Amino acid sequence: MLGHKNGAVRDMAQQLLIDGKRKDAIPYLRKAITDKTHPLLVIHAMWSLEGLSALESAEVLGLLKSDNYNIKVQALSIIPSVINATSSGYYITALKQLLKENDDLLAPYIA
């Protein structure tokens, strides 16, 4: 349902997963964020993992390399939720790499 064409359905599915503390969905969500054909599924799965306190830095760093602009923006937006002293160096490196792309649309999210 996280990949449903109707945004209300996607939002409700995400809300039910998080509010219901559905940790049993974590393996599915981890698989969903690797889907290259359904960006909305990836985005909702990522935010669901974040809401379940299960999102890992390695997953976010991978999503920052996505070819899909919307996934990349959402990955940038989620960094404050997952960054810590241990992972900060990896994020700095990833952000510097994104800056080298000279993408004017991504710049506000990197700043």
Side-chain angles (χ1 to χ4, degrees):
M1 300 305 262
L2 292 175
H4 196 276
K5 64 180 180 179
N6 185 318
V9 173
R10 290 191 308 272
D11 289 346
M12 181 59 70
Q14 182 177 331
Q15 182 179 351
L16 290 170
L17 287 169
I18 295 168
D19 291 349
K21 298 178 178 29
R22 297 295 308 266
K23 300 279 186 179
D24 58 316
I26 291 173
Y28 163 77
L29 296 169
R30 290 200 193 292
K31 183 177 180 197
I33 63 171
T34 66
D35 188 317
K36 303 247 189 261
T37 58
H38 298 96
L40 290 172
L41 170 64
V42 172
I43 290 166
H44 282 275
M46 177 186 66
W47 282 105
S48 295
L49 283 166
E50 187 272 340
L52 293 169
S53 300
L55 187 62
E56 298 177 359
S57 286
E59 293 163 333
V60 177
L61 291 165
L63 294 171
L64 287 172
K65 296 176 184 174
S66 174
D67 293 331
N68 184 286
Y69 173 79
N70 293 317
I71 291 173
K72 208 179 275 192
V73 165
Q74 291 299 312
L76 284 166
S77 299
I78 212 163
I79 290 174
S81 297
V82 294
I83 195 169
N84 58 40
T86 305
S87 65
S88 62
Y90 298 110
Y91 286 111
I92 290 169
T93 300
L95 294 173
K96 285 180 179 178
Q97 185 61 41
L98 287 172
L99 282 172
K100 289 179 184 176
E101 294 177 13
N102 290 320
D103 186 328
D104 291 341
L105 295 175
L106 280 182
Y109 297 97
I110 297 170

PDB file of all heavy atoms in Angstrom, residues 31-45:
ATOM      1  N   LYS A  31      13.494  -3.886   2.093  1.00  0.00           N
ATOM      2  CA  LYS A  31      13.487  -4.334   0.702  1.00  0.00           C
ATOM      3  C   LYS A  31      12.875  -3.253  -0.192  1.00  0.00           C
ATOM      4  O   LYS A  31      13.356  -2.990  -1.297  1.00  0.00           O
ATOM      5  CB  LYS A  31      12.704  -5.635   0.568  1.00  0.00           C
ATOM      6  CG  LYS A  31      12.722  -6.183  -0.830  1.00  0.00           C
ATOM      7  CD  LYS A  31      12.016  -7.508  -0.938  1.00  0.00           C
ATOM      8  CE  LYS A  31      12.096  -7.973  -2.379  1.00  0.00           C
ATOM      9  NZ  LYS A  31      11.159  -8.996  -2.706  1.00  0.00           N
ATOM     10  N   ALA A  32      11.817  -2.615   0.286  1.00  0.00           N
ATOM     11  CA  ALA A  32      11.107  -1.603  -0.511  1.00  0.00           C
ATOM     12  C   ALA A  32      11.994  -0.411  -0.855  1.00  0.00           C
ATOM     13  O   ALA A  32      11.871   0.152  -1.946  1.00  0.00           O
ATOM     14  CB  ALA A  32       9.853  -1.140   0.227  1.00  0.00           C
ATOM     15  N   ILE A  33      12.901  -0.026   0.040  1.00  0.00           N
ATOM     16  CA  ILE A  33      13.728   1.151  -0.268  1.00  0.00           C
ATOM     17  C   ILE A  33      14.774   0.864  -1.340  1.00  0.00           C
ATOM     18  O   ILE A  33      15.444   1.793  -1.800  1.00  0.00           O
ATOM     19  CB  ILE A  33      14.388   1.770   0.985  1.00  0.00           C
ATOM     20  CG1 ILE A  33      15.355   0.805   1.648  1.00  0.00           C
ATOM     21  CG2 ILE A  33      13.356   2.292   1.950  1.00  0.00           C
ATOM     22  CD1 ILE A  33      16.186   1.435   2.738  1.00  0.00           C
ATOM     23  N   THR A  34      14.888  -0.374  -1.763  1.00  0.00           N
ATOM     24  CA  THR A  34      15.819  -0.705  -2.846  1.00  0.00           C
ATOM     25  C   THR A  34      15.117  -0.784  -4.197  1.00  0.00           C
ATOM     26  O   THR A  34      15.770  -1.009  -5.219  1.00  0.00           O
ATOM     27  CB  THR A  34      16.534  -2.043  -2.573  1.00  0.00           C
ATOM     28  OG1 THR A  34      15.579  -3.103  -2.597  1.00  0.00           O
ATOM     29  CG2 THR A  34      17.257  -2.018  -1.233  1.00  0.00           C
ATOM     30  N   ASP A  35      13.809  -0.580  -4.221  1.00  0.00           N
ATOM     31  CA  ASP A  35      13.024  -0.664  -5.454  1.00  0.00           C
ATOM     32  C   ASP A  35      13.371   0.514  -6.368  1.00  0.00           C
ATOM     33  O   ASP A  35      13.202   1.668  -5.992  1.00  0.00           O
ATOM     34  CB  ASP A  35      11.534  -0.651  -5.113  1.00  0.00           C
ATOM     35  CG  ASP A  35      10.647  -0.930  -6.302  1.00  0.00           C
ATOM     36  OD1 ASP A  35      10.912  -0.385  -7.391  1.00  0.00           O
ATOM     37  OD2 ASP A  35       9.677  -1.681  -6.142  1.00  0.00           O
ATOM     38  N   LYS A  36      13.852   0.225  -7.546  1.00  0.00           N
ATOM     39  CA  LYS A  36      14.277   1.284  -8.478  1.00  0.00           C
ATOM     40  C   LYS A  36      13.141   1.755  -9.390  1.00  0.00           C
ATOM     41  O   LYS A  36      13.290   2.727 -10.115  1.00  0.00           O
ATOM     42  CB  LYS A  36      15.424   0.773  -9.348  1.00  0.00           C
ATOM     43  CG  LYS A  36      16.617   0.298  -8.538  1.00  0.00           C
ATOM     44  CD  LYS A  36      17.791   1.179  -8.753  1.00  0.00           C
ATOM     45  CE  LYS A  36      19.039   0.616  -8.138  1.00  0.00           C
ATOM     46  NZ  LYS A  36      19.381   1.163  -6.886  1.00  0.00           N
ATOM     47  N   THR A  37      11.998   1.081  -9.342  1.00  0.00           N
ATOM     48  CA  THR A  37      10.925   1.390 -10.280  1.00  0.00           C
ATOM     49  C   THR A  37       9.751   2.147  -9.654  1.00  0.00           C
ATOM     50  O   THR A  37       8.907   2.652 -10.385  1.00  0.00           O
ATOM     51  CB  THR A  37      10.384   0.104 -10.933  1.00  0.00           C
ATOM     52  OG1 THR A  37       9.913  -0.779  -9.916  1.00  0.00           O
ATOM     53  CG2 THR A  37      11.476  -0.588 -11.738  1.00  0.00           C
ATOM     54  N   HIS A  38       9.695   2.219  -8.324  1.00  0.00           N
ATOM     55  CA  HIS A  38       8.566   2.870  -7.654  1.00  0.00           C
ATOM     56  C   HIS A  38       9.068   3.871  -6.610  1.00  0.00           C
ATOM     57  O   HIS A  38       9.151   3.559  -5.419  1.00  0.00           O
ATOM     58  CB  HIS A  38       7.672   1.826  -6.978  1.00  0.00           C
ATOM     59  CG  HIS A  38       7.070   0.860  -7.943  1.00  0.00           C
ATOM     60  ND1 HIS A  38       7.627  -0.363  -8.201  1.00  0.00           N
ATOM     61  CD2 HIS A  38       5.973   0.970  -8.735  1.00  0.00           C
ATOM     62  CE1 HIS A  38       6.893  -0.988  -9.102  1.00  0.00           C
ATOM     63  NE2 HIS A  38       5.895  -0.199  -9.449  1.00  0.00           N
ATOM     64  N   PRO A  39       9.411   5.083  -7.056  1.00  0.00           N
ATOM     65  CA  PRO A  39       9.992   6.065  -6.130  1.00  0.00           C
ATOM     66  C   PRO A  39       9.085   6.422  -4.952  1.00  0.00           C
ATOM     67  O   PRO A  39       9.584   6.648  -3.849  1.00  0.00           O
ATOM     68  CB  PRO A  39      10.276   7.285  -7.000  1.00  0.00           C
ATOM     69  CG  PRO A  39       9.693   7.021  -8.330  1.00  0.00           C
ATOM     70  CD  PRO A  39       9.360   5.585  -8.430  1.00  0.00           C
ATOM     71  N   LEU A  40       7.770   6.458  -5.170  1.00  0.00           N
ATOM     72  CA  LEU A  40       6.886   6.793  -4.048  1.00  0.00           C
ATOM     73  C   LEU A  40       6.912   5.702  -2.983  1.00  0.00           C
ATOM     74  O   LEU A  40       6.847   5.988  -1.781  1.00  0.00           O
ATOM     75  CB  LEU A  40       5.458   7.041  -4.535  1.00  0.00           C
ATOM     76  CG  LEU A  40       5.278   8.323  -5.348  1.00  0.00           C
ATOM     77  CD1 LEU A  40       3.878   8.394  -5.946  1.00  0.00           C
ATOM     78  CD2 LEU A  40       5.558   9.552  -4.501  1.00  0.00           C
ATOM     79  N   LEU A  41       7.024   4.466  -3.406  1.00  0.00           N
ATOM     80  CA  LEU A  41       7.167   3.355  -2.461  1.00  0.00           C
ATOM     81  C   LEU A  41       8.448   3.527  -1.655  1.00  0.00           C
ATOM     82  O   LEU A  41       8.452   3.380  -0.429  1.00  0.00           O
ATOM     83  CB  LEU A  41       7.171   2.015  -3.203  1.00  0.00           C
ATOM     84  CG  LEU A  41       7.554   0.788  -2.389  1.00  0.00           C
ATOM     85  CD1 LEU A  41       6.542   0.540  -1.272  1.00  0.00           C
ATOM     86  CD2 LEU A  41       7.678  -0.428  -3.288  1.00  0.00           C
ATOM     87  N   VAL A  42       9.533   3.860  -2.336  1.00  0.00           N
ATOM     88  CA  VAL A  42      10.825   4.048  -1.670  1.00  0.00           C
ATOM     89  C   VAL A  42      10.719   5.158  -0.629  1.00  0.00           C
ATOM     90  O   VAL A  42      11.161   4.999   0.522  1.00  0.00           O
ATOM     91  CB  VAL A  42      11.932   4.376  -2.699  1.00  0.00           C
ATOM     92  CG1 VAL A  42      13.230   4.752  -2.007  1.00  0.00           C
ATOM     93  CG2 VAL A  42      12.140   3.202  -3.641  1.00  0.00           C
ATOM     94  N   ILE A  43      10.133   6.270  -0.999  1.00  0.00           N
ATOM     95  CA  ILE A  43      10.034   7.422  -0.101  1.00  0.00           C
ATOM     96  C   ILE A  43       9.191   7.084   1.123  1.00  0.00           C
ATOM     97  O   ILE A  43       9.586   7.354   2.262  1.00  0.00           O
ATOM     98  CB  ILE A  43       9.469   8.643  -0.856  1.00  0.00           C
ATOM     99  CG1 ILE A  43      10.509   9.143  -1.865  1.00  0.00           C
ATOM    100  CG2 ILE A  43       9.053   9.746   0.110  1.00  0.00           C
ATOM    101  CD1 ILE A  43       9.974  10.122  -2.891  1.00  0.00           C
ATOM    102  N   HIS A  44       8.035   6.475   0.924  1.00  0.00           N
ATOM    103  CA  HIS A  44       7.177   6.134   2.068  1.00  0.00           C
ATOM    104  C   HIS A  44       7.799   5.048   2.934  1.00  0.00           C
ATOM    105  O   HIS A  44       7.665   5.074   4.162  1.00  0.00           O
ATOM    106  CB  HIS A  44       5.782   5.732   1.587  1.00  0.00           C
ATOM    107  CG  HIS A  44       4.949   6.911   1.224  1.00  0.00           C
ATOM    108  ND1 HIS A  44       4.221   7.633   2.150  1.00  0.00           N
ATOM    109  CD2 HIS A  44       4.734   7.524   0.035  1.00  0.00           C
ATOM    110  CE1 HIS A  44       3.589   8.616   1.551  1.00  0.00           C
ATOM    111  NE2 HIS A  44       3.894   8.582   0.262  1.00  0.00           N
ATOM    112  N   ALA A  45       8.510   4.103   2.316  1.00  0.00           N
ATOM    113  CA  ALA A  45       9.185   3.068   3.095  1.00  0.00           C
ATOM    114  C   ALA A  45      10.304   3.689   3.938  1.00  0.00           C
ATOM    115  O   ALA A  45      10.487   3.330   5.112  1.00  0.00           O
ATOM    116  CB  ALA A  45       9.734   1.993   2.168  1.00  0.00           C
TER     117      ALA A  45
END
